[in-house]
């Protein structure tokens, strides 16, 4: 391809003007070229009737958000990662003119692939419908590492929520658990969120871990009713906090009952307080500030409202 | 076999009823999906149409899906929980629709 020419012009010159359902790009050089020159992408979008299949080298994986925004901006409705032959995961939909998008996934965050190659599918029509993918990024777009199962904010603040399935609707008690990991305190926090009502970063309960050092951390319970109020807190040290290869680890959990909030680590309840101000709702999630703390093995247990 | 036309829209934004009545009189088989009146999940109906050659017309916002509406804070999901936007009617898209007729802007896009 000559410098300054567009891929669409090349397709036209080679007689490939008939519209195709899908076009696959398997060359990382062509993908980088298109990414760098947005105008060159437009004729390709017009040629591909339904979408693009992009096989990406890992040099573009580092800018996964930018690449998705680029694909939405040039006209693709949904961008996802193929989970298997028939389903899509880590799906984004371009929503606003400012380039923000809606992220839904089976896991909390945007997939970070450690593979040498990764695949994206960009489609002009919807590939996922409704609540097929339970996790939703309310704000921010943290990175989920599939290999370790950990989620970490890449921006200053991120909030992801997960709703219960219909059979689990608003059942209680709801129990959330995760393991916080950090190397340096750094002012970051990681939390579990329950009874999320929104909008945005408002109206929820949260159990927040804030590392104070390698062997010390603050654990606190919060409520947001339009503003954040700390309900109760405690300081946790070793042996609850485990140290391994320069990394600190704190397993913790949050439980919401009809009239109280409880938080703790492993089998010990460390915080307990009565609070009924927020109506119980089966929407829970994680809230991350800064990138110094990550969460592993996030688990949300909504009990079934009806006997199975 | 009768030629098939599938139309979609929602409540006051569904403006194709008169056209559908006319097309029926002209011998077309017309399936109207006004999601303000059609409250059932339409997925199976659209799947059944996937094998047919059909024309799809809509007066709905092309990319205003429930997912997009939720991100924008619109209450579409609570009002019309089974709503499918034109971009979600892809089983009929697989039937190679020949016409997309968005209400806003009032342009017909022919393939």
């Amino acid at each position: 391809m000559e410098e300054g020419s567009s891929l669409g012009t090349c397709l036209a010159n080679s007689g490939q003007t008939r519209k195709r359902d899908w076009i696959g790009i398997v060359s990382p050089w062509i993908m980088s070229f298109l990414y760098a020159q947005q105008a060159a992408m437009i004729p390709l979008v017009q040629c591909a009737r339904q979408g693009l299949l992009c096989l990406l080298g890992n040099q573009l994986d580092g800018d996964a958000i930018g690449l998705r925004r680029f694909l939405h901006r040039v006209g693709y409705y949904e961008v996802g990662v193929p989970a298997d032959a028939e389903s899509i995961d880590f799906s984004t939909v371009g929503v606003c003119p400012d380039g923000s998008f809606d992220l839904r996934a089976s896991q909390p965050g945007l997939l970070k692939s450690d593979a040498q190659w990764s695949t994206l599918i960009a489609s002009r029509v919807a590939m996922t419908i409704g609540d097929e993918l339970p996790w939703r990024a309310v704000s921010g777009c943290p990175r989920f590492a599939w290999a370790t199962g950990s989620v970490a904010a890449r921006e200053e603040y991120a909030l992801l929520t997960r709703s219960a399935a219909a059979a689990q609707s608003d059942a209680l008690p709801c129990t959330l658990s995760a393991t916080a990991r950090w190397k340096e305190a750094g002012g970051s926090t990681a939390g579990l969120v329950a009874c999320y009502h929104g909008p945005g970063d408002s109206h929820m309960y949260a159990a927040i871990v804030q590392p104070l050092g390698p062997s010390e951390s603050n654990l606190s319970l919060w409520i947001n009713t339009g503003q954040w109020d700390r309900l109760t807190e405690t300081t946790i040290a070793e042996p609850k906090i485990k140290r391994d290869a320069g990394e600190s680890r704190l397993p913790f959990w949050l439980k919401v009952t009809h009239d109280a909030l409880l938080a703790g680590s492993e089998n010990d309840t460390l915080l307990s307080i009565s609070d009924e101000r927020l109506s119980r709702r089966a929407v829970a999630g994680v809230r991350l500030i800064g990138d110094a703390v990550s969460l592993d093995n996030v688990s949300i247990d909504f009990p079934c409202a009806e006997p199975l | 076999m009768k030629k098939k036309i599938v139309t979609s829209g929602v409540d006051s934004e569904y403006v194709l009823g008169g056209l559908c009545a006319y097309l029926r009189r002209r011998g077309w088989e017309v399936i109207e999906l006004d999601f303000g009146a059609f409250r059932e999940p339409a997925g199976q109906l659209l799947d059944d149409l996937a094998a047919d050659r059909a024309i799809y017309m809509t007066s709905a916002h092309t990319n205003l899906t429930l997912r997009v509406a939720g991100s924008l804070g619109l209450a579409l999901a609570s009002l019309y929980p089974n709503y499918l936007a034109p971009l979600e009617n892809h089983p009929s898209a697989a039937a190679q629709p020949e016409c997309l007729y968005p209400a806003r802007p009032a342009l017909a896009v022919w393939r």
Side-chain angles (χ1 to χ4, degrees):
Chain A
M1 188 185 306
E2 294 177 7
E3 188 176 351
S5 66
S6 76
L7 195 63
T9 304
C10 289
L11 286 169
N13 291 341
S14 64
Q16 301 296 313
T17 51
R18 193 170 73 82
K19 290 196 173 182
R20 310 283 176 175
D21 279 340
W22 290 86
I23 290 179
I25 299 176
V26 295
S27 160
W29 180 85
I30 291 179
M31 201 61 230
S32 298
F33 171 82
L34 294 169
Y35 190 36
Q37 302 192 31
Q38 183 173 328
M41 189 74 180
I42 303 301
L44 195 63
V45 178
Q46 293 168 341
C47 281
R49 185 160 55 184
Q50 191 153 339
L52 277 185
L53 178 68
C54 316
L55 185 62
L56 306 172
N58 56 7
Q59 76 273 22
L60 285 174
D61 195 45
D63 188 22
I65 292 179
L67 177 60
R68 284 174 182 252
R69 286 193 171 130
F70 163 73
L71 290 168
H72 291 310
R73 199 162 50 238
V74 297
Y76 291 107
Y77 170 77
E78 184 169 1
V79 178
V81 175
D84 53 44
E86 296 184 347
S87 63
I88 296 293
D89 204 348
F90 300 97
S91 156
T92 56
V93 163
V95 177
C96 298
D98 66 359
S100 64
F101 52 66
D102 177 68
L103 166 66
R104 304 285 173 94
S106 63
Q107 302 292 333
L110 193 65
L111 174 65
K112 176 184 183 300
S113 170
D114 294 321
Q116 186 177 2
W117 296 93
S118 56
T119 306
L120 274 185
I121 293 179
S123 175
R124 293 170 67 179
V125 298
M127 296 185 289
T128 56
I129 295 177
D131 297 324
E132 293 171 6
L133 299 170
W135 282 95
R136 175 179 173 239
V138 175
S139 180
C141 197
R143 184 183 289 272
F144 176 79
W146 195 271
T148 59
S150 70
V151 56
R154 76 175 87 206
E155 296 159 357
E156 188 176 337
Y157 150 72
L159 174 64
L160 295 112
T161 60
R162 175 179 183 145
S163 300
Q168 302 168 317
S169 182
D170 299 333
L172 287 172
C174 163
T175 306
L176 301 82
S177 63
T179 300
R181 288 179 186 267
W182 67 91
K183 290 183 177 174
E184 297 175 4
S188 298
T189 68
L192 297 169
V193 165
C195 301
Y196 173 80
H197 291 258
D201 189 31
S202 72
H203 297 89
M204 71 191 95
Y205 292 115
I208 303 288
V209 168
Q210 181 170 16
L212 303 173
S215 305
E216 193 176 31
S217 173
N218 181 273
L219 175 65
S220 51
L221 282 172
W222 295 75
I223 183 174
N224 186 305
T225 53
Q227 65 176 27
W228 286 101
D229 291 313
R230 184 163 50 204
L231 299 169
T232 179
E233 64 178 326
T234 187
T235 301
I236 301 177
E238 293 181 287
K240 290 274 185 239
I241 296 176
K242 280 81 175 170
R243 297 273 297 156
D244 184 22
E247 188 179 65
S248 304
R249 208 157 36 87
L250 172 63
F252 71 111
W253 50 264
L254 167 67
K255 186 174 183 178
V256 181
T257 67
H258 292 284
D259 59 357
L261 305 173
L262 302 93
S265 178
E266 298 175 320
N267 295 325
D268 298 328
T269 301
L270 303 174
L271 299 172
S272 173
I273 192 164
S274 296
D275 195 290
E276 300 178 66
R277 280 178 281 175
L278 291 180
S279 62
R280 274 34 184 172
R281 186 172 185 233
V283 181
V286 298
R287 185 176 185 274
L288 301 153
I289 296 179
D291 60 359
V293 190
S294 64
L295 287 178
D296 287 7
N297 302 315
V298 176
S299 169
I300 299 178
D301 179 21
F302 297 115
C304 290
E306 300 163 7
L308 293 174
Chain B
M1 188 165 67
K2 279 187 175 181
K3 306 168 203 172
K4 287 186 179 175
I5 295 178
V6 181
T7 64
S8 81
V10 58
D11 269 352
S12 61
E13 291 190 353
Y14 181 66
V15 297
L16 302 174
L19 176 63
C20 288
Y22 169 77
L23 290 170
R24 282 195 186 93
R25 288 198 299 273
R26 299 287 303 228
W28 292 76
E29 180 181 342
V30 181
I31 299 163
E32 293 182 81
L33 294 175
D34 173 3
F35 288 96
F38 186 85
R39 294 287 174 159
E40 302 300 317
Q44 186 58 53
L45 173 62
L46 292 169
D47 285 346
D48 293 342
L49 286 168
D52 297 332
R53 188 168 177 81
I55 291 176
Y56 175 59
M57 288 188 287
T58 182
S59 59
H61 296 277
T62 311
N63 63 352
L64 185 60
T65 61
L66 292 184
R67 184 170 167 180
V68 170
S71 294
L72 297 176
L74 306 177
L76 200 63
S78 56
L79 293 171
Y80 313 105
N82 291 317
Y83 176 70
L84 290 175
L87 287 185
E88 292 173 313
N89 289 330
H90 53 98
S92 58
Q96 300 188 9
E98 296 172 354
C99 170
L100 174 66
Y101 188 2
R104 295 188 189 84
L107 292 172
V109 180
W110 296 87
R111 296 189 182 195

